[in-house]
Amino acid sequence: MLVDWVVVGLDNGGTTNNGTILDSAGRFLLDRLAEVPSDVREGPDKAIESLVVSVEQVLGLTGVPITAVRAVGLDTPGPASGDGVISSKGATNFGHVGWRGFDIRSALAERLGLPVIYNNDGNSAALYAHHVRFGTESGQRSSVAAIVGTGLGGGIIQAGQIVRGAAGMAGELGHVPIPLDDLLDVGQPMPACNCGQSGDAESVASLTGIQNNLLPYWLTRYQGHELSGLPIGKAAKLVRKYAEDGDEMALAIFRQQAIALGRLFTIAANFLDPDAYFLGGGVVEAASHFRDWFFAEVRANTALREEQVRASEISLVPDLDMAGARGSAYAARDWFIDQGQQVPPGASLSPGRRDEHDHGEAGRLIALVVVPMRAAGRKAGALTGADLMALACHRHCQGA
Ligand SMILES: [Zn+2]
């Protein structure tokens, strides 16, 4: 296959890695999942090798040589830092003790001799949804994606870029507290989240929320319900099927989830006023009559101003099983293009320093300062340490 350059996207999950490949023209060279076992339970060494196998697999399937690869996008489930360091307290998917505080991004970059761009899986899926919807206008648009699964994942995209935040914790939509008035039933206990909060979006709008909070309560209201005879974990997974079949209790549970998601989008509307609100997760793949009802309930509970209704849309995240890998590939491509395509293959062998390139806050700050200085007759780029000191003083001293 004749290509000038490509990026590889990898979605690392609890059991499998999913890989894809995106060329310089923005075309995916694979139209389906390319999966290998992720081996994450066996610890970092084995799992890094499995990610390398994943890269080799997509190259093998497409006939693209490794020399054409300019960057690799990687996502994993959290919690991890914005730069791919797995939480020191461990994580659900990273139970092996070797994962604690492990820098998965740098380790893969070192092993491959290529830049690796890391995002959590919710952010990658959000970036994918954004690109699919906005295409060539992605860079001018913003969106918020809420993806309902075991937890409530997602992300925020602003001007085509994932909003990562100072500590890599932006876009944790699941842990945004939401108003619960007229959402909870009279006497229903306050829903608790694994993060330690009560009444955040994930405590209601997730499979875990159904299992820990919603279903145990609603089973007390529907005594003798078929699901009451099953272990709670098993019963929680069946609630959607019951809702598809029109079961009253299951619909009450999903109505609470829809209200929570609508209120979350309402917060997003006031905070970010995005072009699009994306909804994803298992419910998207549900029977169409149920999906449409759920989607309508979310919309009905999203309070937008008239101007916002005209300017924005609420829609479903497509192709969720490929969203992580494809979003990771977009992140790698965006990063490479931002470098002015100056990274030749194998030239970026210094892993662990991506922050210098891509967070760019310092660079942005300088750019903002350069404009008035040019107007004052000084050369752009002639910013000195003294100027920066003066700027710092200006900001602090003016504010005092
Ligand atoms: Zn939470």
Side-chain angles (χ1 to χ4, degrees):
M1 179 171 292
L2 199 63
V3 289
D4 46 359
W5 59 265
V6 300
V7 295
V8 170
L10 300 175
D11 173 42
N12 168 264
T15 52
T16 54
N17 294 326
N18 178 19
T20 194
I21 190 162
L22 179 65
D23 74 6
S24 58
R27 291 171 305 201
F28 285 100
L29 304 183
L30 288 171
D31 60 359
R32 60 194 161 83
L33 294 173
E35 290 183 322
V36 299
S38 67
D39 298 324
V40 289
R41 287 184 188 84
E42 294 176 51
D45 292 350
K46 191 77 181 27
I48 293 292
E49 285 313 305
S50 298
L51 287 165
V52 173
V53 170
S54 212
V55 173
E56 290 168 351
Q57 185 194 42
V58 297
L59 295 176
L61 285 169
T62 53
V64 174
I66 182 84
T67 49
V69 180
R70 294 296 182 274
V72 173
L74 169 69
D75 76 26
T76 74
S81 77
D83 212 17
V85 178
I86 306 300
S87 168
S88 59
K89 291 179 181 167
T92 310
N93 270 40
F94 299 100
H96 188 285
V97 69
W99 284 115
R100 298 191 178 183
F102 185 80
D103 185 345
I104 190 170
R105 189 200 65 76
S106 294
L108 183 62
E110 210 161 323
R111 177 65 179 76
L112 291 172
L114 283 166
V116 173
I117 314 307
Y118 176 84
N119 288 291
N120 75 47
D121 52 4
N123 282 346
S124 277
L127 185 64
Y128 176 60
H130 187 89
H131 272 273
V132 169
R133 172 60 190 86
F134 294 118
T136 55
E137 289 183 7
S138 291
Q140 290 88 54
R141 303 301 188 108
S142 60
S143 64
V144 167
I147 298 163
V148 185
T150 308
L152 178 59
I156 300 168
I157 310 299
Q158 178 68 36
Q161 302 279 321
I162 293 169
V163 177
R164 292 189 173 82
M169 293 175 181
E172 290 286 348
L173 307 187
H175 308 298
V176 174
I178 50 164
L180 294 173
D181 49 296
D182 300 327
L183 186 160
L184 295 182
D185 208 17
V186 177
Q188 183 173 359
M190 176 66 83
C193 181
N194 287 337
C195 74
Q197 295 187 98
S198 293
D200 62 15
E202 181 171 302
S203 72
V204 177
S206 67
L207 178 61
T208 308
I210 292 181
Q211 178 177 328
N212 293 350
N213 303 312
L214 307 188
L215 184 57
Y217 167 73
W218 283 101
L219 283 173
T220 67
R221 291 288 311 277
Y222 287 83
Q223 289 185 1
H225 191 282
E226 284 174 35
L227 288 176
S228 61
L230 297 175
I232 194 73
K234 194 171 178 193
K237 288 187 181 134
L238 291 171
V239 173
R240 193 177 88 204
K241 178 80 184 70
Y242 275 76
E244 287 174 336
D245 294 343
D247 179 80
E248 205 178 295
M249 182 191 75
L251 288 172
I253 288 172
F254 275 98
R255 185 172 292 112
Q256 290 191 319
Q257 292 208 331
I259 295 170
L261 290 164
R263 290 182 180 184
L264 180 65
F265 284 163
T266 303
I267 292 170
N270 288 296
F271 220 96
L272 186 68
D273 188 22
D275 293 284
Y277 306 80
F278 296 122
L279 180 63
V283 74
V284 176
E285 287 122 51
S288 60
H289 69 278
F290 168 67
R291 183 193 62 209
D292 295 347
W293 167 82
F294 185 77
F295 191 53
E297 288 285 311
V298 174
R299 270 176 190 274
N301 285 284
T302 304
L304 302 180
R305 294 186 180 83
E306 253 181 71
E307 295 88 339
Q308 291 177 311
V309 171
R310 283 197 294 274
S312 68
E313 63 180 62
I314 305 177
S315 50
L316 300 172
V317 173
D319 302 335
L320 200 71
D321 52 355
M322 289 198 286
R326 289 191 161 188
S328 295
Y330 277 126
R333 184 168 181 271
D334 290 348
W335 174 84
F336 181 58
I337 290 171
D338 274 358
Q339 305 305 299
Q341 307 187 12
Q342 292 304 304
V343 183
S348 186
L349 285 170
S350 55
R353 304 307 309 161
R354 183 171 64 86
D355 268 1
E356 287 171 2
H357 303 293
D358 88 326
H359 282 199
E361 292 304 324
R364 204 172 302 161
L365 184 62
I366 290 168
L368 288 171
V369 177
V370 166
V371 176
M373 286 191 169
R374 288 174 96 169
R378 292 178 54 179
K379 277 183 191 153
L383 206 60
T384 65
D387 290 323
L388 288 169
M389 291 284 285
L391 170 74
C393 181
H394 181 78
R395 288 162 64 96
H396 289 291
C397 304
Q398 293 285 313

